[in-house]
């Protein structure tokens, strides 16, 4: 690995000015479980690394009964996974974190790092989009909020410009009738990058089984994590049955545009995607039935 | 059976604590004063002419001490088999795979060396390349070495008359099986340190066969062997990958000679995956003739093996596969044709099992297909054909001890073998048996090893042994053998054996031979040392030496344990009172080895080990994902010296076997390996391991030390066919190509309309 200079700013403003100062010679270090690996493989050369993990403004978990959940972008994944509040109110996030790599990596990696790395297969992206997450971005120009699904541009690319930092992830309160699952398909049980992953979040009326709201979010089947508008519109306003599940799965496959790569072929990804969408819906239905 | 006090005990390995707590020193930790770091410039092209190399800019970089290209190194060619040498230390005029060595740099640190590599300008003329073996054999294929053909080597064997046997067969089966190219995945990447000083070169290396390395290095550098000293460091993974020298040792030696400083070269993980050599992938066409009763009468095997760009152990591996293919189930008529084909890819080399996992995947998969056709339980068919002690195979191999029948029954019993009665949908069981060598390997025309023992005044025993511990525990096993024979405690035995200046010549750690060969040599040395101790003890106890027994640090008269002398006292008495220090020299000598060229082919191995494994799997018909419910492995390893270490060997091998079966594969995107890292090259993790049960089926191997046979390799030999057979039993699809990925299963299920 080539030598680099390491910076550890103590505040958000200090990190923004460091990023502005070094421009494209600098990158943010937020766990390093992707970045340092790529640097070690010499796929990437970064003269200046700016560590965000020591900034208190970026490291917090807050819950408000009205506003919902707010997470600092430099919060470590294992901290999130061990939060009782999170297990209680956002079990989907805890489930998805536990599918990431290994305990060692969960101890280093951060939620913001997982998102900013912008892998189409990112394990945190689809569950957060399914839960309608918003993100806060800060830069010299100030700060703004936007929906997480607007954050990703392509593999490894986000809308962040030089000097911008992902500060916070906000997830609105989840209604009692909303249930969500995260399904990840890989060859092995840990240390796995998804061949396909899917998050399904449905608000289903427990009496009529009519689906009031739906989010179907897919990973590793497009250049970025994406929602399936087709599948969502098929589900919303209808009573869910076998035929509807199949139709939603087909619609999801239509909205996806996977590639063939070292992890799986395009046709295999589409098959798995259809299966996971159906499985996700079935699991939620099953859970609704159990509750009633 | 005789009760032993040290042999057969589950003793903790002598190196366990250091390794588990991270104290052990490996090559990456090891530094010498003034040491430089070497880096290799490798070809980015699979096939190209080198037009020019300009190292001028690289040499000018501050901290760069030497830059070498082909013109700075001997023009000799290297190959494991000298007559097949085809590899220059650095490429002269042509590169033949992505990763081929073009230039090498020594600098004060790795970063500077890396920077120097980037400053070397090489002008290439790209040539057409070929990566598929079938294409490589076509007339129009680009030629890699020989302008006539890409056929590197062919091996043919005929035992009996297969054509006649096929005429007598009721059923004939013919299937093609494809095995994958897999990497050894040693946690420690390959490397060495060379120090050329005072007219000698010393190599620190995690090698599996230090003496072979010494010969190879001397050969390629054109110097005498006595000018080369190899000091073995702790080996962070071997599995066959450290048996043959790669170009790091000569490059480091030449750079050290040039700079007058020690030079270390270590692979990056990418270099390890793409250049450190891998298991030979085989395309196997297997034709078997079976009579009505289920006796296998004939086997014809054609293998097209991917040699990669340079020769290594391919021909030997073909011969091993041919021999074992004739032994398993004692098939009387065998025709074997092996073709090893050059391609523009990373070369192959030895890998645990040495051609046997490949050939077993074919034979044992087809065995279940035969059973199905005959309407027989696969277990019954195997029992019916199982080898027996005293059998002589078509190749002439003589089976001494053989526990195959018991292995088959034990594994089936423990797994709750049920082939036809399914307990769950999409769940099934599969079985596979195996034969492997576990004793003396005679293919070299000699098989011998010496060991020395000295006993200190305080009774401490030092054994100078050539057993190379690559993590399998051979030093622990040698210590147990010596302690048992001398009647001392295991803790009182010290093993020395890491230096070619010190230890006697040995072929190295391969072929599951260390326990048998080095164990026998050490046992003989212990017997000779014991004679001296017993003579003096007899004098002290006023008894006949033949009436004495040594155990647990004491020597006593049979029948009267009170009449005893301690082992240290006896040694001390001998030295101080009689002026006779105590030592012993021992030898393992296989008299048959030297006659090998005149003997039947099957005599190339002296002793065989057998095993049976049962896998239970559940297949998700929607995704093709395989869940291994359990694995049971019953192995005949003679009488195990350390059952805990033996079980550890099997468990580790099963893990590798699962990877080989279900997920491991070096993939090529064009001519380049597209998964040269642990995120994309999948090996099973701890949570992927199913519950495992291992059984050591004891047989008495009369030629082995205390009845022991080898066990290093067999664990993964039958795993892939056992899993493949279980998948077939579970969901009815027969996958003949490794690895059996979810995608292959799903496609096969869809083809059959089952998903």
């Amino acid at each position: 690995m080539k030598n680099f200079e390491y910076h550890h700013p103590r505040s958000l403003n200090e990190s923004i000015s460091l990023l502005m100062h070094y421009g494209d010679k600098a990158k943010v270090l937020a766990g390093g479980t992707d970045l340092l690996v790529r640097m070690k493989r010499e796929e990437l050369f970064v003269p200046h690394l700016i560590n965000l993990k020591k900034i208190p403004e970026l490291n917090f978990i807050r819950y408000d009964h009205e506003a919902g959940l707010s997470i600092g972008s430099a919060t470590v994944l294992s901290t999130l996974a061990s939060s009782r509040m999170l297990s209680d109110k956002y079990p989907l996030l805890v489930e998805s974190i536990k599918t990431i790599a290994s305990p060692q990596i969960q101890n280093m990696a951060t939620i913001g790092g997982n998102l900013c790395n912008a892998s189409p297969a990112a394990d945190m992206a689809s569950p957060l989009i399914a839960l309608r997450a918003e993100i806060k971005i800060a830069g010299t120009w100030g700060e703004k909020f936007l929906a997480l699904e607007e954050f990703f541009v392509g593999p490894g690319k986000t809308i962040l410009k030089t000097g911008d930092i992902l500060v916070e992830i906000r997830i609105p309160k989840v209604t009692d009738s909303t249930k969500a699952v995260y399904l990840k398909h890989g060859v092995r049980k840990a240390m796995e990058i998804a061949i396909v992953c899917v998050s399904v979040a449905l608000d289903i009326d427990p009496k009529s089984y009519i689906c009031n709201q739906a989010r179907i979010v897919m990973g590793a089947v497009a250049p970025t994590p994406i929602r399936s508008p087709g599948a969502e519109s098929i589900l919303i306003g209808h009573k869910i049955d076998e035929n509807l599940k199949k139709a939603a799965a087909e619609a999801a496959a239509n909205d996806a545009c996977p590639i063939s790569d070292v992890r799986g072929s395009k046709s295999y990804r589409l098959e798995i995607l259809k299966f996971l969408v159906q499985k996700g819906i079935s699991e939620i239905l099953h859970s609704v039935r159990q509750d009633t | 059976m005789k009760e032993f006090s040290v042999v057969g005990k589950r003793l903790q390995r002598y190196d366990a604590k250091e390794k588990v707590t991270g104290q052990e020193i490996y090559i990456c930790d090891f530094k010498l004063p003034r040491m430089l770091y070497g880096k290799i410039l490798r070809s980015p092209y699979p096939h190209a002419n080198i037009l020019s190399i300009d190292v001028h800019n690289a040499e000018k970089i501050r901290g760069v001490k030497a830059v070498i290209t082909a013109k700075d190194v001997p023009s000799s060619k290297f190959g494991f088999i000298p007559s097949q040498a085809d590899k220059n230390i650095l490429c002269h005029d042509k590169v033949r795979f992505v990763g081929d060595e073009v230039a090498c740099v020594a600098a004060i640190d790795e970063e500077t060396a890396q920077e120097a590599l980037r400053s070397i300008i090489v002008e290439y003329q790209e040539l057409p390349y070929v990566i598929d073996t079938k294409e490589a054999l076509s007339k129009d294929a680009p030629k890699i070495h020989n302008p006539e053909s890409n056929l590197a080597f062919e091996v043919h064997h005929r035992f009996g008359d297969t054509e006649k046997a096929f005429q007598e067969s009721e059923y004939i089966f013919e299937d093609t099986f494809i095995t994958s190219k897999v990497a050894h995945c040693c946690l420690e990447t390959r490397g060495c340190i060379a120090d050329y000083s005072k007219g000698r070169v010393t190599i620190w290396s995690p090698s599996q066969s230090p003496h072979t390395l010494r010969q190879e290095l001397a050969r390629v550098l054109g110097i005498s062997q006595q000018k080369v000293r190899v000091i073995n460091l702790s080996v962070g993974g071997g599995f066959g990958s450290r048996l043959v020298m790669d170009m790091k040792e000569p490059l480091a030696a030449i750079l050290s000679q040039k700079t007058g400083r020690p030079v270390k070269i270590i692979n990056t993980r990418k270099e390890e995956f793409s250049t450190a050599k891998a298991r030979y992938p085989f395309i196997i066409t297997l034709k078997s003739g079976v009579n009505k009763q289920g006796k296998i009468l004939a086997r014809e095997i054609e293998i097209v093996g991917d040699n990669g760009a340079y020769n290594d152990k391919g021909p030997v591996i073909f011969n091993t596969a041919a021999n074992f293919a004739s032994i398993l189930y004692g098939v009387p008529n065998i025709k074997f044709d092996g073709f090893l084909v050059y391609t523009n890819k990373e070369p192959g080399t030895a890998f645990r099992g040495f051609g046997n996992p490949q050939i077993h995947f074919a034979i044992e998969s087809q065995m279940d297909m035969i059973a199905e056709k005959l309407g027989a339980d696969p277990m019954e068919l195997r029992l019916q054909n199982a080898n027996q002690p005293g059998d002589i195979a078509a190749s002439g191999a003589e089976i001494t001890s053989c526990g195959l029948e018991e292995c088959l029954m034990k594994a089936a019993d423990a797994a709750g073998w049920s082939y036809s009665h399914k307990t769950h949908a999409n769940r099934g069981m599969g079985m596979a048996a195996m034969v492997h060598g576990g004793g003396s390997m005679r293919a070299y025309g000699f098989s011998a090893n010496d060991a020395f023992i000295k006993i200190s005044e305080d009774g401490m025993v030092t054994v100078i042994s050539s057993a190379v511990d690559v993590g399998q525990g051979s030093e622990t096993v040698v210590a147990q053998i010596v302690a048992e024979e001398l009647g001392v405690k295991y803790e009182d035995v010290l093993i020395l054996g890491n230096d070619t200046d010190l230890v006697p010549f040995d072929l190295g750690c391969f072929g599951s031979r260390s326990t048998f060969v080095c164990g026998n040599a050490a046992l003989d040395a212990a017997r000779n040392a014991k004679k001296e101790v017993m003579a003096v003890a007899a004098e002290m106890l006023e008894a006949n030496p033949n009436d004495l027994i040594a155990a647990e640090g004491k020597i006593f008269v049979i029948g009267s344990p009170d009449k005893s002398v301690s082992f240290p006292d006896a040694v001390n008495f001998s030295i101080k009172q009689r002026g006779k220090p105590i030592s012993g020299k021992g030898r393992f000598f296989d008299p048959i080895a030297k006659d090998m060229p005149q003997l039947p082919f099957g005599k190339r191995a002296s002793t065989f080990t057998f095993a049976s494994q049962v896998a239970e799997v559940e297949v998700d018909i929607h995704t093709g994902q395989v869940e291994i419910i359990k694995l049971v492995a019953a192995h005949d390893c003679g009488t195990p010296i350390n059952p805990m270490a033996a079980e550890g060997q099997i468990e580790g091998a099963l893990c590798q076997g699962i990877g080989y079966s279900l997920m491991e594969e070096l993939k090529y995107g064009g001519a380049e390996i597209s998964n040269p890292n642990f995120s994309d090259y999948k090996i099973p993790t701890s949570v992927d391991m199913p519950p495992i049960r291992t059984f050591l089926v004891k047989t008495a191997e009369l030629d082995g030390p205390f009845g022991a046979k080898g066990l290093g390799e067999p664990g993964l030999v039958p795993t892939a066919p056992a899993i493949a057979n279980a998948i077939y039993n579970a969901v009815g699809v027969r996958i003949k190509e490794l690895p059996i990925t979810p995608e292959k299963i799903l496609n096969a299920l869809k083809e059959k309309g089952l998903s």
Side-chain angles (χ1 to χ4, degrees), chain A residues 116-185:
Chain A
C116 291
N117 187 52
S119 160
D123 287 300
M124 295 309 296
S126 74
L128 284 167
I129 294 172
L131 296 178
R132 299 161 194 273
E134 284 197 327
I135 50 167
K136 181 171 148 186
I137 296 172
T140 46
W141 41 266
E143 55 181 53
K144 67 175 176 189
F145 284 90
L146 73 155
L148 175 59
E149 57 199 281
E150 290 163 32
F151 181 61
F152 305 105
V153 178
K157 291 200 178 73
T158 66
I159 60 163
L160 292 179
K161 302 256 180 327
T162 304
D164 293 358
I165 285 176
L166 170 65
V167 177
E168 186 180 330
I169 296 104
R170 290 190 179 180
I171 306 144
K173 214 180 148 193
V174 180
T175 61
D176 287 343
S177 50
T178 297
K179 292 186 187 295
V181 291
Y182 176 66
L183 299 170
K184 175 177 181 174
H185 179 68

Side-chain angles (χ1 to χ4, degrees), chain A residues 1-2 41-42 185-193 262-265 268 271-272 275, chain B residues 111 114 118 622-623 625 627 663 667 677-680 682-683 687-688 742-743 746 750:
Chain A
M1 187 177 359
K2 272 200 175 183
R41 288 183 194 161
E42 308 223 322
H185 179 68
V187 172
R188 59 184 174 190
K189 292 179 183 163
M191 294 303 294
E192 190 59 301
I193 300 166
V262 73
R263 283 187 273 281
S265 71
Y268 182 67
E271 283 302 322
I272 298 300
F275 171 67
Chain B
E111 291 74 28
Q114 200 69 49
R118 284 190 286 266
H622 303 288
T623 61
Q625 189 79 35
E627 168 94 22
M663 58 186 89
K667 295 179 186 172
N677 57 64
F678 279 123
S679 9
D680 292 320
K682 316 272 184 203
I683 57 174
V687 290
D688 293 296
E743 186 161 354
L746 193 63
K750 284 197 173 297

Side-chain angles (χ1 to χ4, degrees), chain B residues 27 79 147 149 248 251 347 391 393 431 451 513 525 602 630 662 666 673:
Chain B
I27 185 136
S149 162
K248 273 184 264 316
L251 287 172
D391 281 358
M431 148 184 299
R513 68 189 280 282
K630 65 174 175 251
L662 297 179
L666 286 165
I673 290 170

Side-chain angles (χ1 to χ4, degrees), chain A residues 59-209:
Chain A
N59 198 341
F60 60 87
I61 309 173
R62 278 195 295 265
Y63 182 72
D64 180 280
H65 289 288
E66 295 297 316
L69 178 66
S70 176
I71 301 169
S73 61
T75 309
V76 167
L77 293 178
S78 57
T79 310
L80 290 169
S82 60
S83 153
R84 204 174 284 177
M85 182 275 296
L86 228 67
S87 299
D88 185 33
K89 302 210 162 16
Y90 299 89
L92 181 68
L93 295 184
V94 176
E95 276 167 39
S96 56
I97 289 170
K98 286 185 173 166
T99 71
I100 295 179
S102 62
Q104 292 91 330
I105 286 178
Q106 290 163 21
N107 282 337
M108 293 298 294
T110 60
I111 185 167
N114 189 265
L115 296 176
C116 291
N117 187 52
S119 160
D123 287 300
M124 295 309 296
S126 74
L128 284 167
I129 294 172
L131 296 178
R132 299 161 194 273
E134 284 197 327
I135 50 167
K136 181 171 148 186
I137 296 172
T140 46
W141 41 266
E143 55 181 53
K144 67 175 176 189
F145 284 90
L146 73 155
L148 175 59
E149 57 199 281
E150 290 163 32
F151 181 61
F152 305 105
V153 178
K157 291 200 178 73
T158 66
I159 60 163
L160 292 179
K161 302 256 180 327
T162 304
D164 293 358
I165 285 176
L166 170 65
V167 177
E168 186 180 330
I169 296 104
R170 290 190 179 180
I171 306 144
K173 214 180 148 193
V174 180
T175 61
D176 287 343
S177 50
T178 297
K179 292 186 187 295
V181 291
Y182 176 66
L183 299 170
K184 175 177 181 174
H185 179 68
V187 172
R188 59 184 174 190
K189 292 179 183 163
M191 294 303 294
E192 190 59 301
I193 300 166
I195 296 172
V196 176
C197 59
V198 170
S199 290
V200 179
L202 304 176
D203 182 331
I204 293 177
D205 184 295
K207 288 197 181 81
S208 64
Y209 289 100

Side-chain angles (χ1 to χ4, degrees), chain B residues 593-616:
Chain B
K594 67 174 175 9
D595 300 327
M596 233 359 262
Q598 293 86 46
L599 291 174
F601 175 75
K603 294 264 191 189
R604 49 197 280 119
S606 74
T607 308
F608 301 93
T609 71
F610 295 85
S612 173
Q613 296 183 357
V614 175
E616 184 174 14

Side-chain angles (χ1 to χ4, degrees), chain B residues 196 199 201 215 217-228:
Chain B
Y196 215 122
V201 59
Q215 292 175 353
L217 186 60
R219 200 161 80 215
V220 78
L221 292 180
I223 58 178
S224 76
Q225 276 182 47
Q226 67 175 34
K227 300 232 187 262
V228 182

